[in-house]
Amino acid sequence: MLGTFSSRVLGLVRQIVINNLFPPLLTDAFNIATRVPNLFRELVAEGAVTNALVPVLSGLPAGEGEVFKRRFAALLLTLNLLLLGAGLLLAPAVAGWLVDASSPYAQGPNFDLLVYQIRLVMPFLLFISMAALFSAFLQSQERFGAVAFAPLALNAVSIALMLVWPGSATALALSYTLGAMVQAAVLLPSLRGFGLEFRSHPAIRDALWRMGPFAFTTSLRQFLNLVLTNVLTRYAVGAQTAFINAEVIFQTALGILAVSPAMALYPRLTQLGAAQDYAGMRGLLERSIPRLAVLLGFAGAMMVALAPWIVGAIFSFGGLDPRVREFTVAVLLAYGLALLPWGVNQLMLRAFYAANEIRRAVQVSVVIFGLNTLGYWLLRDAGLFWLNLSTAAAGLVGLLAYGVRLEGLSILSLRWLLELLLRVAAAAAPAGMLAYVAARPFGTPALFLDNLPPLALGGLVGLTAFVVFARVLRLPLRLR
C-alpha cells in the first residue's frame, strides 16, 4: 500500500513538472505520442500479464515453473520487438491516424514533432512489458517488496531528467522511456539466474487463454482513448495536457477512495462467492457501499465546487499556461460528477467476479466503453465539460447494469442502492454549492500558495454542510 501511494504521489509530482517546465505545444504532442505504446501496454504488459501468469505459475511445479518463465519471457520479448519495429517504421502513419485534419499537429513542423515523440516513446512498451513480467514472476513467489516500490523508479528518473533539461522535446520523451527501463532494471536482480529460452511450452497456451478476456476489455478501453485523443486534437493546444491533468486527479481520488477499499474487500467477497453465500455477499456490500458512497459523494462534490482552486493548488507553480488551467478545470468539473458512480462500480465489479459472473462483467464493460466512446464522438464539438460528461453518464449506465444483475442473483437490491445514492447526492449538492460560495470571493489566484486559503475555507464549509445534511438524511459517517 505504501509503495502504491508513493508511486501515485510521485506521478502527480511528475505531472506538475511537465506542466510548469514544458510548453503546451510540446506536452500535447508528448501526450498524444504516449497513447501509441499505451495502446498495447495492458495487452503485453501489466494487467494482462499479471492476471495470466500468477495463476499459471502457481499451478506448476517449481522446476517446471522456471522453464515456463524462460520460454514465456522469450515469447513476450519477441512480440515486443515486433511491435517496437512496427511503431518506429509506421510512426508517420500512426500520427496521421491519431490527429484530426483540423489539428495543429496535422502537418508541418508540429506533425514532425509528433512523429519524433512517437519514435522516442515507443521503446517504453518493451521496458514496461519486461517490468510487468518480472513483477508477475516475483508475485507468484509472494515476493512483493521490490514489486511495490519499482514504479517509484520510473517517476523518479522521469522527474530528474525533466528537471535537468527543462523545455527539451528529447528529454521529455526519453524521461518516459528511460524511466520504464530503470523500473525493469531494478527488478532484475531479484530474479537470480533468470534467462531466456526460445522454445514452446504447454502452459503458454493456458496463459494466453487467461489473457483473452482481459485483453478484450482492455482493447475497448484503449479504443476509447484513441477516439478521445483524436477528438481532443480538434481543440486548441493545451487540451490534451489538460485532460491528462484532470485524469491524474480523478484517478488518484478513485484509487484511494474506491479501488483500494474494493481490493481490500475482494478476498472476502471471493470466499463468500466460492461458497455461494449470496446472503453473506449482500450483507457485506450493504455494509460497505454506504460508507464508500459517502466518501465518494463528498469528494466528488468538492471536486466540482472547488475545481479552479484544486487545479491552482496542484499545478500552478509559475509555469502553468492559463489556457491549460482553464481546460483542466472544465474537464475536472465533469470528472467530479463521475466519481460517485465509477467509484461504486469498482466494488460492484468485484462482486461480479466473486460470483463468477465474468462473462456478464465483460458484457457490461462493453456497454460502458461503447457508450463512453459514442458520447465522446457525438459531443466532440460541445466543449470539454460536456465532452467529458459522457464519462459520468456511462458510469451511471454501468451502475444500473451491475445493479440489475446483482439483484437478479439476490446479492443486492437495486432500489436500496438507488435510494442510497440519491440521499448521498442530496447531501453532496448543497454542500458543494456552499463550498463554492465560500471560495468564490478569493478569485482564482495564479500561484499555488494563494489557492490554499480558498481551498481550505471552501473545503471546511463544504465538509461542515455535508456532515449536517448527511446526519439529517441518516447517512453513515463512520468509516468502520
Side-chain angles (χ1 to χ4, degrees):
M1 183 70 73
L2 178 61
T4 301
F5 179 77
S6 301
S7 179
R8 287 187 180 275
V9 171
L10 271 186
L12 186 59
V13 172
R14 176 176 168 271
Q15 195 63 23
I16 293 170
V17 173
I18 289 174
N19 275 270
N20 287 273
L21 296 185
F22 297 86
L25 185 69
L26 174 55
T27 58
D28 271 16
F30 169 74
N31 286 316
I32 296 171
T34 57
R35 293 294 190 187
V36 182
N38 284 329
L39 176 63
F40 303 100
R41 179 176 179 174
E42 292 183 79
L43 298 178
V44 296
E46 297 187 339
V49 170
T50 302
N51 281 277
L53 292 194
V54 171
V56 171
L57 285 170
S58 300
L60 291 174
E64 192 62 26
E66 292 302 313
V67 174
F68 170 79
K69 288 179 183 179
R70 295 193 295 270
R71 297 183 182 182
F72 189 87
L75 173 65
L76 194 63
L77 176 63
T78 301
L79 178 59
N80 272 283
L81 289 174
L82 290 173
L83 290 171
L84 174 59
L88 295 174
L89 181 64
L90 300 175
V94 172
W97 296 333
L98 284 173
V99 300
D100 188 80
S102 63
S103 168
Y105 299 95
Q107 57 187 345
N110 292 343
F111 180 80
D112 295 337
L113 172 64
L114 177 56
V115 172
Y116 181 63
Q117 291 284 296
I118 291 174
R119 285 176 168 152
L120 287 181
V121 301
M122 272 306 299
F124 169 87
L125 179 63
L126 170 62
F127 297 130
I128 205 67
S129 180
M130 292 299 102
L133 183 70
F134 300 157
S135 296
F137 289 166
L138 293 171
Q139 286 176 347
S140 69
Q141 300 169 1
E142 298 186 358
R143 297 165 65 189
F144 302 108
V147 173
F149 288 95
L152 295 176
L154 188 156
N155 287 318
V157 169
S158 296
I159 292 168
L161 284 174
M162 289 187 289
L163 289 174
V164 173
W165 288 287
S168 167
T170 302
L172 180 58
L174 287 182
S175 71
Y176 195 63
T177 298
L178 296 180
M181 183 183 73
V182 174
Q183 180 177 340
V186 299
L187 291 169
L188 195 54
S190 301
L191 298 167
R192 294 183 181 88
F194 174 75
L196 298 174
E197 187 175 330
F198 290 87
R199 296 180 62 185
S200 183
H201 190 283
I204 288 179
R205 177 177 293 181
D206 183 25
L208 294 176
W209 178 257
R210 289 176 180 271
M211 289 172 67
F214 192 91
F216 177 70
T217 54
T218 297
S219 297
L220 292 173
R221 182 164 60 249
Q222 294 305 329
F223 177 72
L224 167 67
N225 287 335
L226 291 181
V227 172
L228 175 62
T229 299
N230 183 273
V231 168
L232 289 175
T233 62
R234 300 167 66 91
Y235 288 82
V237 170
Q240 299 281 348
T241 303
F243 181 85
I244 298 298
N245 289 345
E247 187 176 42
V248 167
I249 298 173
F250 174 73
Q251 291 295 341
T252 299
L254 191 69
I256 294 172
L257 299 177
V259 176
S260 293
M263 290 177 64
L265 289 169
Y266 184 56
R268 180 56 180 157
L269 283 171
T270 301
Q271 292 175 359
L272 294 170
Q276 293 189 338
D277 184 2
Y278 291 162
M281 290 181 68
R282 179 171 183 153
L284 181 59
L285 289 176
E286 288 183 350
R287 291 191 302 273
S288 304
I289 290 178
R291 292 172 173 80
L292 193 71
V294 165
L295 288 173
L296 291 165
F298 172 71
M302 295 304 101
M303 197 177 289
V304 173
L306 303 176
W309 301 281
I310 292 173
V311 173
I314 293 176
F315 294 113
S316 293
F317 284 78
L320 180 65
D321 184 86
R323 180 178 288 174
V324 172
R325 178 173 181 170
E326 176 189 344
F327 286 168
T328 304
V329 169
V331 179
L332 190 60
L333 286 170
Y335 267 146
L337 297 173
L339 188 62
L340 177 58
W342 279 91
V344 174
N345 284 349
Q346 298 298 317
L347 184 52
M348 295 173 69
L349 175 63
R350 282 158 179 81
F352 261 67
Y353 283 117
N356 201 29
E357 288 280 311
I358 298 175
R359 181 178 179 184
R360 188 60 62 92
V362 170
Q363 291 173 343
V364 174
S365 296
V366 171
V367 172
I368 293 174
F369 292 127
L371 287 175
N372 208 347
T373 304
L374 180 63
Y376 281 148
W377 188 250
L378 293 177
L379 299 171
R380 59 188 181 276
D381 296 319
L384 291 175
F385 170 75
W386 294 103
L387 174 69
N388 287 282
L389 201 60
S390 62
T391 300
L396 285 171
V397 172
L399 186 145
L400 291 172
Y402 287 136
V404 167
R405 181 54 184 164
L406 290 176
E407 184 174 56
L409 296 171
S410 299
I411 295 175
L412 192 69
S413 166
L414 180 60
R415 180 177 179 177
W416 170 85
L417 177 63
L418 293 179
E419 288 179 349
L420 168 69
L421 296 182
L422 285 173
R423 284 189 289 142
V424 170
M433 287 188 284
L434 291 172
Y436 175 75
V437 169
R440 186 179 179 182
F442 290 85
T444 51
L447 295 178
F448 82 101
L449 279 176
D450 297 327
N451 285 274
L452 297 181
L455 192 58
L457 179 60
L460 180 60
V461 171
L463 177 61
T464 303
F466 185 81
V467 169
V468 171
F469 286 114
R471 288 192 180 280
V472 171
L473 294 167
R474 298 182 180 179
L475 291 170
L477 293 174
R478 288 189 175 184
L479 297 181
R480 290 181 175 272

